[in-house]
Amino acid sequence: MNGPFDGGRNGDRGGPDEPEDVRGIPRIPGQRTAADDLDPPAADVLRRAVESHARAARAAEPSREREEPEEPDATDEADEAAGVDSGADVDSGTSPDVSPAPDPEVSPGTPREPAHPPDPAGERDMTGGRDRYAPPPRPPAEPVGPPPSHSVLKSLLGAWALAACSPEETTHVENHLTECAPCADEALKLRDAVGLLQADRNLDLPPLLRARVLENCLDRRAARIPVPAWATPYDAETARLDALLRDFGDAEWHAPLQLRWFEKEERTARRATVAGVIGHLMTVDGLVASALGLDDPLGEPAPLSPTDRTEAFWRSAHPPPTRTIREPWRDQSHTLIRTVSFAGRGVAELSVSYGEFALPLRDAMIDRAFECWIHGVDIADAVDYPYPPPSGPHLHVMIDLAAQLIPSALAARRRAGLAAPAQQLVVPGSPGRSLHLEVEGAGGGNWYIALDSPAAVGTAERAVAQVALDGVEFCQLVAGHISPEEAAAGQDGDREAIRDVLFAAASLSRL
């Protein structure tokens, strides 16, 4: 027997010289060396060591059964397969009758590998003459350490709703939610909000959102002092442009752009910056402010022509305008809206002078809304940002104002020799030759333009030509952004009348 008492002289495994059919067969062990044959001192020492080892093994057995899972040990399985009784009495010095079966793959001199990998952090448990290894430690079910404070857990609710917390943080937060009702309510709202997030949605607000919100509010409670209907386009367009400018950085405010308009028979352009365009809008709005008795941004005296006012502002602006121009422009537009709202009905017919011509206040406010939209498009193009057209009702009143001004512009071009002479004398207020202007799309409609006199009335019965345009394209023509030759989508009838009307529409543009 290969054990601690025979010095390994007679092994239970077949030696290398034995034939293959004999190796591995259990053998009856040879005669043990009697303890009495040893020297008395050596026999006493050996006996005391064996007895001490047996007592330690019996004392360690109950604690080991409590700590270790009830799993069969690889060594026990091997002993049982070989017919060895692992509970042999060590004190009696007896040994089992049958030795364990040898491993055919392992030679007698090769040590056997342990059933479990050794634990470097622990000590071997020498029990019953076998090496015992504790199972690997399991991760704790609950996080170790005290939970964070209430404020820390509350700050983690957003990350928890997005499933961005670590496992320990998730456990702490969920344990806290079972105890704190306010945090549980907030966590529920955050989790619902996460479900509404969609990465592929456009984060820009719909252009009609403001109108829908205001309409809903006014349906519930009417405004004590409502904004006049003819001032709502100006209110909407200044708000849209201000929303575009709100997040501009210094680079955007200094972005270059071209202001384009149509003068006589050709298109004209002027270089400017985003800040310079806002200054231009502020100075021309100053004409409306002066008519209402408000302060003129240019002071006194100031020119009346929009072009002269803009040039004077640009010359006096040293250094060039920056983002600081936004606040005075927006304050002025708010003041105009409040003033016309409190002024009452009679203020709508107040005359606003533009130098060479004048407009009633109701038309001047629509004109300012139109220019705010057109220059908003210029600014958006300069920074590569989309800028939709106004709502249908607001676009309709802008087209209607331009259609009303075309007969006067045509008469001015005729006096300057730029249009064909009138073909019929018309009594003021009576029907005359007309052009049917058909505007398609949102804000469109049908208008009949008097051709021979601004005082004549355009009618369908006296129409000699027809022009069809898209609503936005017609406004771009009136703003001087497209030429008359490329504006009309459909033409029919008197070609000379069509040309005169299209060029008269383009001449309405200015700086």
Side-chain angles (χ1 to χ4, degrees):
M1 176 178 176
N2 186 13
F5 304 117
D6 61 357
R9 293 179 286 104
N10 297 321
D12 62 339
R13 301 174 185 264
D17 299 331
E18 295 178 350
E20 292 291 331
D21 56 345
V22 180
R23 293 184 184 178
I25 299 178
R27 297 179 176 183
I28 298 175
Q31 184 179 2
R32 289 179 56 93
T33 303
D36 297 336
D37 296 341
L38 300 176
D39 296 336
D44 295 340
V45 173
L46 179 59
R47 185 173 55 256
R48 285 195 297 270
V50 172
E51 291 174 354
S52 176
H53 182 72
R55 286 193 299 272
R58 286 194 297 270
E61 188 66 26
S63 62
R64 180 169 56 82
E65 292 178 354
R66 289 194 303 270
E67 295 175 358
E68 293 184 2
E70 294 295 334
E71 296 180 359
D73 189 85
T75 308
D76 294 340
E77 293 178 357
D79 294 343
E80 292 174 2
V84 177
D85 183 9
S86 58
D89 188 2
V90 180
D91 293 339
S92 62
T94 60
S95 62
D97 295 339
V98 182
S99 301
D103 190 349
E105 298 293 330
V106 182
S107 60
T110 304
R112 299 187 61 183
E113 294 293 333
H116 297 283
D119 185 6
E123 296 291 336
R124 287 188 171 186
D125 182 12
M126 304 297 294
T127 304
R130 300 187 307 273
D131 292 346
R132 309 288 290 182
Y133 299 94
R138 298 179 180 179
E142 296 293 334
V144 179
S149 62
H150 174 82
S151 59
V152 174
L153 293 173
K154 185 176 181 181
S155 66
L156 291 174
L157 292 179
W160 173 85
L162 294 170
C165 288
S166 64
E168 293 78 7
E169 293 173 341
T170 301
T171 304
H172 282 310
V173 171
E174 292 177 352
N175 291 341
H176 178 70
L177 295 181
T178 62
E179 302 173 356
C180 182
C183 288
D185 293 339
E186 185 175 355
L188 181 61
K189 295 177 182 178
L190 291 174
R191 181 58 64 87
D192 293 340
V194 170
L196 300 176
L197 296 178
Q198 297 183 11
D200 56 347
R201 292 185 60 185
N202 188 358
L203 298 182
D204 293 334
L205 296 179
L208 299 181
L209 177 61
R210 182 176 185 273
R212 292 199 300 267
V213 172
L214 290 177
E215 182 180 2
N216 186 35
C217 295
L218 294 178
D219 289 342
R220 295 176 179 270
R221 186 186 68 178
R224 296 179 58 185
I225 303 178
V227 177
W230 43 268
T232 53
Y234 177 78
D235 183 21
E237 293 308 311
T238 53
R240 286 209 305 150
L241 182 55
D242 182 60
L244 174 65
L245 301 174
R246 185 178 297 118
D247 296 329
F248 275 16
D250 294 337
E252 285 83 3
W253 280 100
H254 295 289
L257 54 85
Q258 281 192 340
L259 299 178
R260 296 167 292 168
W261 69 97
F262 192 83
E263 191 170 319
K264 294 183 179 180
E265 297 293 324
E266 59 184 9
R267 296 167 65 181
T268 308
R270 173 69 185 270
R271 293 183 61 84
T273 63
V274 172
V277 172
I278 300 302
H280 161 66
L281 291 175
M282 184 181 66
T283 55
V284 182
D285 287 351
L287 294 174
V288 181
S290 298
L292 291 171
L294 303 174
D295 294 336
D296 191 331
L298 293 181
E300 296 292 343
L304 295 178
S305 170
T307 302
D308 295 341
R309 291 175 65 86
T310 302
E311 295 289 352
F313 172 77
W314 285 346
R315 287 193 302 267
S316 61
H318 295 291
T322 60
R323 63 190 312 155
T324 57
I325 195 66
R326 171 177 168 260
E327 185 174 353
W329 164 74
R330 195 66 177 118
D331 289 344
Q332 179 180 257
S333 63
H334 286 158
T335 303
L336 291 177
I337 295 297
R338 287 195 300 268
T339 302
V340 299
S341 299
F342 282 95
R345 298 180 179 178
V347 74
E349 302 302 326
L350 183 66
S351 178
V352 178
S353 176
Y354 285 77
E356 298 179 355
F357 62 95
L359 292 174
L361 181 61
R362 63 166 64 242
D363 293 343
M365 294 295 288
I366 297 174
D367 170 75
R368 302 312 307 142
F370 176 81
E371 188 168 1
C372 186
W373 164 47
I374 293 298
H375 288 319
V377 174
D378 295 335
I379 294 173
D381 290 343
V383 296
D384 295 327
Y385 197 85
Y387 200 77
S391 62
H394 293 173
L395 190 61
H396 180 82
V397 297
M398 296 177 188
I399 296 174
D400 182 70
L401 176 61
Q404 294 177 20
L405 296 178
I406 288 178
S408 299
L410 178 57
R413 285 179 58 83
R414 185 177 290 123
R415 290 191 298 268
L418 300 176
Q423 296 185 8
Q424 296 178 0
L425 295 177
V426 182
V427 177
S430 61
R433 286 191 321 129
S434 306
L435 179 139
H436 179 199
L437 176 62
E438 181 182 0
V439 179
E440 303 172 345
N446 295 277
W447 287 267
Y448 294 91
I449 310 299
L451 297 175
D452 295 325
S453 172
V457 177
T459 60
E461 294 76 12
R462 300 294 303 274
V464 298
Q466 181 179 1
V467 176
L469 297 93
D470 177 74
V472 176
E473 290 184 353
F474 177 75
C475 292
Q476 293 289 333
L477 172 66
V478 174
H481 283 201
I482 59 176
S483 63
E485 291 83 357
E486 60 186 10
Q491 303 179 8
D492 184 35
D494 190 339
R495 298 295 178 182
E496 186 178 55
I498 293 174
R499 180 185 182 278
D500 288 344
V501 169
L502 292 178
F503 273 83
S507 67
L508 294 174
S509 63
R510 61 180 184 272
L511 174 63

